[in-house]
Amino acid sequence: MAALCAALLLVLLVCVGGQSTPGSCRISCDPLLTRDGTVTGLEQGLVIPLSTAPTGPPGKMGPPGKAGPRGLPGIAGVPGPPGSPGRTRGSKIAFYASLTGAFKDQDVLRFTDVVTSLGDSYDPGTGVFTCRVSGTYAFSYHILKEGGDMWADLLLNDQVHASSIAQDANRKFDYAANSVVLQLQVGDRVCVKLDGGQVMEDSAGGRYSTFSGFLLFED
């Protein structure tokens, strides 16, 4: 019984430590035990394959593993080209004023009741708007007549650019009105002037006759 156990132990040692190819073991006959305790003769014997079945197909891919730790930041890229110059905020220019006095014939209308004045361009003492910023402007006027016919013109540098007439014989009061869009340069002057007739005097503050203008956009 002891001899059988020794033989089986020897076969196990050979299968584990003396394999010549994967999946096989070698059974050695008559191994020799030397004086120093080593076993010789293992190179002789019969190789018995442990399995003769063909290699099976690859198994299914396993689930993805957990995400690894975050890597270090990359190297900074090359700076981009400079951007285009920004636009500064545009100028604020606008005015709105009304008549309070009586005017007739060829008077330049002086709208002295100033309601809105941005940009310090309209002078109520003269009734003239003086351009301080070149650009495109919008102007409008509404003049209430009293009595007979009345004409009113909008002038740019003493040149008529818009005209209006109040000519209703059946009404004592009627309006002459018009509006323009003008491209102005610094120093240009805009005003409203009568070309005949009479303006109704507004002493009650009703603002019946008005003149206004504002900057649409700068050049």
Side-chain angles (χ1 to χ4, degrees):
M1 183 68 178
L4 178 59
C5 291
L8 292 175
L9 179 62
L10 180 62
V11 170
L12 179 62
L13 290 174
V14 172
C15 291
V16 174
Q19 286 183 334
S20 60
T21 60
S24 64
C25 67
R26 179 185 300 275
I27 299 177
S28 300
C29 298
D30 299 325
L32 298 178
L33 182 66
T34 63
R35 291 182 179 182
D36 57 4
T38 60
V39 178
T40 62
L42 295 179
E43 66 278 1
Q44 300 176 356
L46 178 65
V47 177
I48 301 175
L50 297 180
S51 176
T52 58
T55 303
K60 295 182 179 180
M61 182 179 296
K66 295 182 179 180
R70 186 172 183 176
L72 297 175
I75 301 174
V78 179
S84 57
R87 296 188 62 183
T88 58
R89 189 172 182 178
S91 303
K92 292 182 178 181
I93 300 176
F95 75 96
Y96 166 62
S98 66
L99 290 176
T100 57
F103 297 89
K104 62 181 180 179
D105 299 333
Q106 303 293 319
D107 288 340
V108 173
L109 300 181
R110 297 184 300 278
F111 300 82
T112 56
D113 180 16
V114 179
V115 180
T116 301
S117 180
L118 300 176
D120 194 28
S121 297
Y122 174 72
D123 182 2
T126 61
V128 176
F129 173 89
T130 302
C131 177
R132 300 182 184 277
V133 176
S134 297
T136 302
Y137 290 78
F139 298 93
S140 64
Y141 64 93
H142 300 77
I143 312 301
L144 180 61
K145 80 175 182 71
E146 182 177 10
D149 298 345
M150 183 193 70
W151 295 262
D153 301 326
L154 184 140
L155 279 64
L156 167 59
N157 299 331
D158 298 325
Q159 300 295 318
V160 176
H161 279 66
S163 297
S164 58
I165 183 173
Q167 201 176 21
D168 191 342
N170 297 323
R171 294 182 181 180
K172 181 178 179 181
F173 303 107
D174 196 9
Y175 270 102
N178 212 332
S179 59
V180 295
V181 174
L182 300 174
Q183 188 170 8
L184 304 183
Q185 301 298 320
V186 174
D188 285 345
R189 304 168 77 249
V190 179
C191 66
V192 177
K193 181 179 179 181
L194 287 183
D195 194 22
Q198 182 175 342
V199 176
M200 189 198 80
E201 182 177 1
D202 182 10
S203 58
R207 298 193 177 107
Y208 298 110
S209 299
T210 61
F211 180 32
S212 61
F214 55 91
L215 173 64
L216 291 173
F217 49 86
E218 300 180 31
D219 284 349

